[in-house]
């Protein structure tokens, strides 16, 4: 049996990453979402092992030192990480796994797991990106400008990904990601066993 | 504008290559089929520039010496080749082009044009391959065995292709090829211009 695909989706702020990943998972129930570990406090309604694995800082750092994360990052004083053991086991069983993580985490995954498939979501244009960030209505002009510039910078990191998908409409973007997954499963290096080499 | 895709499809005898390519072109009228050049005589009904460009041996060898073929081969005393100039012009205009050629030609195309997309068609199984070759009903047991062994050997060359597609049904195989083309158009190295590097 072929190994599952480790699919990593990132996108700058305002590219609609969350909506696209949700529709992808709805459409393809066989893809499973990886549950991350974190040291932040559970919010009301969150359940350990469903939204996150909630770990103490001490336990998290112990797991870092044992190299038990595929990638991890510290954001505003809390750790977030992708547990390695569970992912490896599920990939070996042929399960496809989706990670929705930031660019730094994604590039670390690629280093550790070169056969992972990195997909970067793009807004249709810079004007559209600005509109989407503005559309949230929660920003001051300064913070809007800061977020916009940060998003532009983040987009240039997309060059290091395997694929870029323009999120013009959620439906088109999800169809393109599905095609990428179908194509990746046809790649010769993932199918050496079916070439009847006997 | 992005360059078009140079799509190369091969498959061992009995894999249904012709049927798959025909349906792909029917479904995607924007993909154009490359007209090959040959030194063999036109058959009744064949038109120069439609089925083939019919060239004299002298003219063909002159074009070989000028490096004007993307690939060429001599088969049973006749030359067959893919003219380079027309293909380059059309790719630069963003047109996708399909070449249905043998494995030797395909690997030569890849050498000359590394961004080409090589797709190898596989029969669902070796038993199925044997059945399909037998099904033609035109073979003696010896020639059948010879064709079967040649096909098995050809299949092992598929490892050098970018993708392998199992032709279980023509519809599934064509859908997979369409996904491959969609995915290839999303590859980052084909989209450097859309990453807003300004």
């Amino acid at each position: 049996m072929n190994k599952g695909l480790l699919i990593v989706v990132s996108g700058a702020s305002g590219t609609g990453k969350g909506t696209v990943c949700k529709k992808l998972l709805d459409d393809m129930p066989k893809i499973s979402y990886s549950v991350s570990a974190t040291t932040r406090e559970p919010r009301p309604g969150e359940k350990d092992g469903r939204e996150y694995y909630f770990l103490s800082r001490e336990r998290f750092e112990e797991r870092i030192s044992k190299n038990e994360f595929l990638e991890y990052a510290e954001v505003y004083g809390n750790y977030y990480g992708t547990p390695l053991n569970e992912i490896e086991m599920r990939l070996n069983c042929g399960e496809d796994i989706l990670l929705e993580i930031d660019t730094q985490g994604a590039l670390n995954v690629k280093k550790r797991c070169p056969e992972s498939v990195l997909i970067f979501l793009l807004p249709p244009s810079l004007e559209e990106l600005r509109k989407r960030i503005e559309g949230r209505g929660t920003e001051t002009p300064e913070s809007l400008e800061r977020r916009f510039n940060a998003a532009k910078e983040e987009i240039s990191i997309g060059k290091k990904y395997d694929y870029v998908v323009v999120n013009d409409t959620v439906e088109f973007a999800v169809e393109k990601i599905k095609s990428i997954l179908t194509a990746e499963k046809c790649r010769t290096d993932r199918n050496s066993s079916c070439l009847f080499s006997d």
Side-chain angles (χ1 to χ4, degrees), chain A:
Chain A
M1 187 178 50
N2 289 334
K3 269 185 84 169
L5 294 177
L6 182 55
I7 310 148
V8 181
V9 174
S10 309
S13 177
T15 46
K17 185 177 50 160
T19 319
V20 167
C21 286
K22 193 182 167 310
K23 176 149 174 53
L24 181 68
L25 290 170
D26 284 350
D27 283 11
M28 305 189 77
K30 278 193 173 172
I31 298 180
S32 49
Y33 194 80
S34 163
V35 178
S36 299
T38 184
T39 56
R40 82 152 165 74
E41 290 295 311
R43 291 177 193 146
E46 286 184 342
K47 211 178 138 191
D48 186 53
R50 191 179 63 189
E51 281 79 13
Y52 284 98
Y53 295 109
F54 295 100
L55 301 181
S56 68
R57 200 169 174 85
E58 200 180 9
R59 181 78 189 95
F60 202 106
E61 288 177 346
E62 188 192 318
R63 294 189 65 179
I64 293 175
S65 69
K66 286 187 181 159
N67 218 5
E68 289 179 7
F69 289 110
L70 182 56
E71 56 84 34
Y72 73 93
E74 197 172 357
V75 181
Y76 299 124
N78 282 311
Y79 283 122
Y80 295 84
T82 306
L84 186 61
N85 53 353
E86 196 185 310
I87 287 198
E88 277 189 333
M89 195 189 65
R90 282 154 67 188
L91 290 176
N92 285 333
C93 292
E95 239 181 273
D96 298 329
I97 300 175
L98 177 67
L99 300 181
E100 186 195 325
I101 50 178
D102 70 1
T103 50
Q104 193 196 333
L107 298 179
N108 283 335
V109 170
K110 190 73 182 180
K111 240 184 258 168
R112 186 108 178 230
C113 176
E115 69 270 29
S116 58
V117 180
L118 265 56
I119 301 174
F120 194 81
L121 278 181
L122 284 178
S125 67
L126 286 183
E127 296 90 81
E128 182 60 30
L129 178 64
R130 185 184 282 276
K131 265 191 231 159
R132 288 185 189 176
I133 293 177
E134 280 173 2
R136 300 184 175 178
T138 55
E139 314 279 337
T140 65
E142 293 75 30
S143 80
L144 195 150
E145 205 54 35
R146 202 165 48 236
R147 281 173 60 91
F148 180 65
N149 285 331
K152 270 208 299 191
E153 194 159 313
E154 208 170 13
I155 282 173
S156 71
I157 303 175
K159 286 176 196 161
K160 297 184 178 163
Y161 278 58
D162 300 307
Y163 297 95
V164 285
V165 168
V166 175
N167 184 18
D168 32 16
T169 75
V170 174
E171 286 69 26
F172 280 157
V174 168
E175 284 311 310
K176 279 184 224 159
I177 294 178
K178 285 186 200 167
S179 290
I180 290 170
L181 305 185
T182 301
E184 281 288 332
K185 284 174 191 282
C186 291
R187 290 196 72 84
T188 310
D189 42 16
R190 298 192 199 273
N191 283 280
S192 48
S193 64
C194 82
L195 282 168
F196 313 130
S197 50
D198 52 2

